[in-house]
Amino acid sequence: MENDMYDAIIVGAGPTGLSAALWLGRCRRRVLVCDTERPRNSASQALHGFLTRDGIAPAEFLRLGREQLAPYTTVELRTIAVTDAERVEEHFRVTLADHTQVETRKLLLATGVIDELPLLDGLEQFYGSSVFHCPYCDGWEWRDQPLALYGAGEHGRAMALQLRQWSHDLVLCTDGPAELDAADLALFSRLGIGVCEDRIAHLEGSAEQLERIVFRNGKVLARRALFVITHEHQHAPLAQRLGYRFSPNRLMLRTEGYEQPDIPGLFVAGNSVRNLWVIGAAAEGAEAAFLLNRSLLQEDLARERLALMPLS
Ligand SMILES: Cc1cc2nc3c(=O)[nH]c(=O)nc-3n(C[C@H](O)[C@H](O)[C@H](O)COP(=O)(O)OP(=O)(O)OC[C@H]3O[C@@H](n4cnc5c(N)ncnc54)[C@H](O)[C@@H]3O)c2cc1C
């Protein structure tokens, strides 16, 4: 059984999983990486803020990551979903979408999250090209342009105040009551941030370029880009199946050091656990791989020591 067993199965080959695979490959570990090729930023046209790769197409970034795994012959990459996983004795039994089962000593979940976009007619057409959710990722490209932010209440307030860093021509569209108090409204007025409570009918533009927001009352607001506030949910239910507990914001509860004390051998890293940019996700993958390898090493050494002990 031991010979058929992987040292690690990594679920997800986004920046987190690929980075972990690279380090585990360098540690000469036998690794299977399974991926469904649906990374969180697949709608995006350019990945920003990654040192030496600023502006690269997200798909090209992942292609390079996969290409650089090629020399590490102990790492196997498969395009397949992991549909289930269970802990069996000291290891994990992992079920793949083709119903085959594989065994592994350690399991790393790097499955990421899925964004829940606001239900705005026309949004999907522009998402990733002129509708965005992260001003740090995409604000610079739209600096000094006419921008809108979709959101209300505390979230809308906080993000509008951030977004003004990139453009002073900013309107907060709350699509109903703004839920801002008099002090907030006075601050917005002083900073020149418009507030529009009119109900939105749809977004309009040509190809991938947003041009205007059309309101139900017939009003039209010309804008070059729109930022929205999103919520996320886990991409894969595997952690729940393994007995994982979730925090109220639906990201996994991180405990010390990536490995879960309740479920020994289970490691989680990347966007599943917390909001991270790509560079942070890659760093988490690397660190999780280091700790996973260390855990394997400790087990291996304990076994060798046991073998040295005289039989009584
Ligand atoms: C529109 C948009 C633009 C962004 N722009 C930037 C940017 O410019 N710069 C930046 O730093 N960050 C950006 N981000 C954030 C970036 O997407 C994340 O930091 C990054 O994707 C997190 O990497 P990850 O590996 O944790 O998850 P992901 O990249 O989401 O990868 C998870 C992988 O797991 C796979 N998977 C899930 N479940 C299973 C399963 N059951 N079996 C097998 N495979 C599975 C998925 O198919 C996916 O390939 C952006 C995000 C969005 C939404």
Side-chain angles (χ1 to χ4, degrees), residues 98-126:
D98 62 3
H99 305 295
T100 54
Q101 291 192 315
V102 273
E103 316 270 325
T104 181
R105 292 172 65 189
K106 308 285 175 194
L107 181 61
L108 170 59
L109 301 181
T111 45
V113 290
I114 291 183
D115 290 285
E116 295 165 16
L117 300 174
L119 297 171
L120 273 182
D121 191 9
L123 184 142
E124 298 249 335
Q125 180 185 341
F126 307 113

Side-chain angles (χ1 to χ4, degrees), residues 116-267:
E116 295 165 16
L117 300 174
L119 297 171
L120 273 182
D121 191 9
L123 184 142
E124 298 249 335
Q125 180 185 341
F126 307 113
Y127 186 58
S129 47
S130 49
V131 173
F132 310 97
H133 80 288
C134 170
Y136 289 88
C137 299
D138 295 294
W140 194 86
E141 281 64 34
W142 301 91
R143 62 199 182 282
D144 302 326
Q145 300 276 321
L147 304 182
L149 168 65
Y150 181 80
E154 178 49 33
H155 282 124
R157 189 189 82 90
M159 184 130 156
L161 294 174
Q162 276 187 67
L163 205 46
R164 191 177 166 278
Q165 190 171 335
W166 285 275
S167 176
H168 287 194
D169 184 354
L170 175 64
V171 179
L172 174 64
C173 295
T174 57
D175 201 15
E179 295 163 24
L180 298 174
D181 62 23
D184 289 334
L185 290 170
L187 178 63
F188 275 44
S189 168
R190 182 177 161 71
L191 295 174
I193 303 173
V195 177
C196 175
E197 293 186 317
D198 298 336
R199 293 275 178 198
I200 294 175
H202 59 270
L203 307 181
E204 274 183 10
S206 51
E208 293 167 336
Q209 177 56 59
L210 173 76
E211 288 168 0
R212 63 196 77 86
I213 300 171
V214 180
F215 297 89
R216 286 193 209 163
N217 57 12
K219 212 168 98 178
V220 171
L221 178 67
R223 296 285 99 177
R224 294 285 295 163
L226 170 71
F227 283 78
V228 297
I229 295 163
T230 57
H231 300 282
E232 303 100 38
H233 63 261
Q234 291 291 325
H235 195 139
L238 295 170
Q240 272 160 316
R241 295 230 190 97
L242 283 159
Y244 216 96
R245 286 171 291 115
F246 286 81
S247 61
N249 68 3
R250 284 172 293 180
L251 297 186
M252 288 186 196
L253 281 179
R254 157 66 54 75
T255 50
E256 279 294 303
Y258 300 88
E259 187 175 12
Q260 301 310 302
D262 298 353
I263 315 163
L266 175 67
F267 291 72

Side-chain angles (χ1 to χ4, degrees), residues 12 15-16 35-36 38 40-41 48 82 115 137 271 276-278:
T16 307
D35 186 57
T36 46
R38 289 179 56 218
R40 181 182 180 191
N41 59 350
H48 297 117
V82 168
D115 290 285
C137 299
N271 254 187
L276 290 163
W277 292 308
V278 171

